[in-house]
Amino acid sequence: MRRTEKKSLNEKGYVSKTDTFLKEVNDSLAKQLKEQNGINKKKDKKMPLVAKIFVGLVVILSLGSGAAAYYINFVLDKATIVNADTEDIYIPVSQEVFEQDEKKEDAIEIDPEEVLWGKLSKLAKKEEDVVNILLVGEEDLGEEENGRGRTDCMMIATISKKENALKLTSLMRDMYVQIPGYSDNKLNAAYRNGGMSLLEDTIELNFGVAVDGYVLVDFDAFESVIDALGGVEIKLSEIEANYLNSHNYISKKKYRNVKPGKQILNGNQARGYSRIRYVRTANGLTDDWGRNHRQRKVLKAIFKEYKSKSAVELVAMLPDIMKLVTTDLSKKDMLGYIGLILSINADKLQTLSVPVEGSFTTPYINGMSVLLSSLETNQEKLHQFLFGTEQ
């Protein structure tokens, strides 16, 4: 799905009342944070991310209930909120595609009919004090049928009130899974075939986890988020830097000037870095494992940059960040989850990759190089990580 851009009055050549109001709110936030709370820039940068957001929201509320409600609605209205009954994101594809990969000499080829799935949980697990939001990054494939690409990045963001924790689970795109109503395929084919609805059903079927909602961001938005932050700090190996400068992973040639070592990457550079597959990471990972490792590094770098921003900067950035998002979460849901995050004192993300080490092989099926895993083992590990229980 390609999100429909919302034209603002500002884009038509003049400043709207909303823009003026937002500037007034931001100016007031800066003044009140300095005068009422006595927070100077040095101290503010040492505050935990959640504390900064909380301070910003408190100051917004101090503007008055009417102004606060207006501003919060203004921010949430920037997101594209879809309805499962009306949005074309749920239109199925008419022709399946199997992503073809170059076959390695020592690779084992398996007939899809020979794959044994084992016994899977029929009920997707859900707990009141654990919220699981699916985060999805979409490939930009131009004229794909129904305007949908494959999902290059799939993660489950978990807010665990019972463990006072924030968690991030990476789901490898090349995992061979069962897709309801379609042939077995890589996990990243589910979204292309049937949109977010089918991707959620696929995750629930194969991993036994109920998804509470999703956030979809395409790669153009991914770049914009990083640029809004002023870039992210990433350490590149010499091989990675040379590869990025000599290939089209960094789509804009003028930015193919990265170097080995730590540096600030802009959105286009970070996007290219996060998509590398065929070069080993510093810790020896390749293929989907290497790309997944890099994606997690970029997300952690984004999280670090958010923590370095002042409360004023964080609140002021919210409208620009939200307009890059497509979600099925209602305003009420989003407000509830924001409140839940604020109640958790967690500055570090706990992370997991699925399939877990030692639970998979890498055969070729239907011309695809896939991760064929024990879903029973991965269900158990995933449930332990998300809920603290096996099933």
Side-chain angles (χ1 to χ4, degrees), residues 15-27:
V15 178
S16 70
K17 292 181 180 179
T18 299
D19 294 326
T20 301
F21 175 81
L22 178 58
K23 184 179 185 303
E24 291 174 353
V25 170
N26 288 336
D27 290 344

Side-chain angles (χ1 to χ4, degrees), residues 121-381:
S121 174
K122 293 183 179 180
L123 296 177
K125 189 174 182 63
K126 180 178 177 63
E127 289 187 4
E128 184 177 349
D129 289 339
V130 178
V131 178
N132 291 309
I133 305 298
L134 183 61
L135 306 180
V136 177
E138 179 189 7
E139 286 182 336
D140 183 5
L141 296 184
E143 299 301 319
E144 274 290 316
E145 183 177 347
N146 289 323
R148 288 195 301 263
R150 289 174 178 251
T151 43
D152 207 46
C153 175
M154 291 164 285
M155 299 186 176
I156 299 174
T158 302
I159 309 168
S160 177
K161 187 176 180 180
K162 71 176 184 179
E163 294 182 43
N164 198 43
L166 299 176
K167 306 178 182 183
L168 196 63
T169 303
S170 301
L171 302 175
M172 296 294 190
R173 69 194 293 274
D174 289 343
M175 279 190 291
Y176 193 64
V177 296
Q178 302 169 90
I179 301 178
Y182 290 87
S183 303
D184 301 337
N185 205 329
K186 291 184 179 182
L187 180 60
N188 72 341
Y191 172 73
R192 180 192 179 275
N193 289 349
M196 290 302 304
S197 178
L198 183 59
L199 178 55
E200 289 179 348
D201 289 346
T202 300
I203 290 171
E204 292 187 359
L205 170 65
N206 291 273
F207 305 108
V209 174
V211 175
D212 296 299
Y214 72 81
V215 173
L216 173 67
V217 181
D218 65 24
F219 275 110
D220 289 336
F222 179 81
E223 290 187 27
S224 299
V225 169
I226 292 174
D227 287 336
L229 288 168
V232 291
E233 184 179 75
I234 298 292
K235 183 178 181 180
L236 299 179
S237 68
E238 185 173 355
I239 295 176
E240 289 173 330
N242 292 339
Y243 191 78
L244 284 171
N245 289 334
S246 58
H247 292 74
N248 63 357
Y249 280 85
I250 297 177
S251 62
K252 298 176 182 177
K253 289 185 179 180
K254 63 181 179 180
Y255 295 138
R256 294 175 193 167
N257 54 4
V258 297
K259 59 186 185 298
K262 286 185 179 180
Q263 64 209 279
I264 301 299
L265 301 185
N266 64 27
N268 192 245
Q269 292 168 330
R271 171 184 174 179
Y273 168 77
S274 68
R275 299 190 74 185
I276 297 175
R277 294 184 70 186
Y278 301 114
V279 170
R280 288 186 180 275
T281 62
N283 56 345
L285 300 175
T286 57
D287 299 324
D288 199 30
W289 293 100
R291 173 162 52 186
N292 192 267
H293 175 77
R294 293 182 177 100
Q295 288 172 348
R296 289 203 309 276
K297 278 183 65 176
V298 170
L299 285 176
K300 286 183 177 180
I302 290 174
F303 187 69
K304 181 180 178 181
E305 284 302 315
Y306 270 111
K307 289 199 296 180
S308 74
K309 301 298 181 184
S310 69
V312 176
E313 290 171 318
L314 284 171
V315 173
M317 288 171 62
L318 286 176
D320 289 333
I321 298 300
M322 289 302 294
K323 69 183 180 182
L324 305 174
V325 165
T326 298
T327 182
D328 65 345
L329 299 175
S330 66
K331 287 184 183 180
K332 182 179 178 181
D333 290 333
M334 286 188 274
L335 286 171
Y337 296 148
I338 289 172
L340 186 55
I341 291 173
L342 292 175
S343 71
I344 293 175
N345 183 24
D347 265 345
K348 293 185 178 179
L349 289 172
Q350 299 178 26
T351 61
L352 176 73
S353 291
V354 175
V356 297
E357 188 175 354
S359 71
F360 64 93
T361 57
T362 56
Y364 275 75
I365 302 177
N366 276 334
M368 305 180 294
S369 175
V370 302
L371 301 175
L372 183 60
S373 63
S374 164
L375 293 179
E376 292 177 88
T377 297
N378 283 285
Q379 272 197 17
E380 179 181 328
K381 296 295 185 182

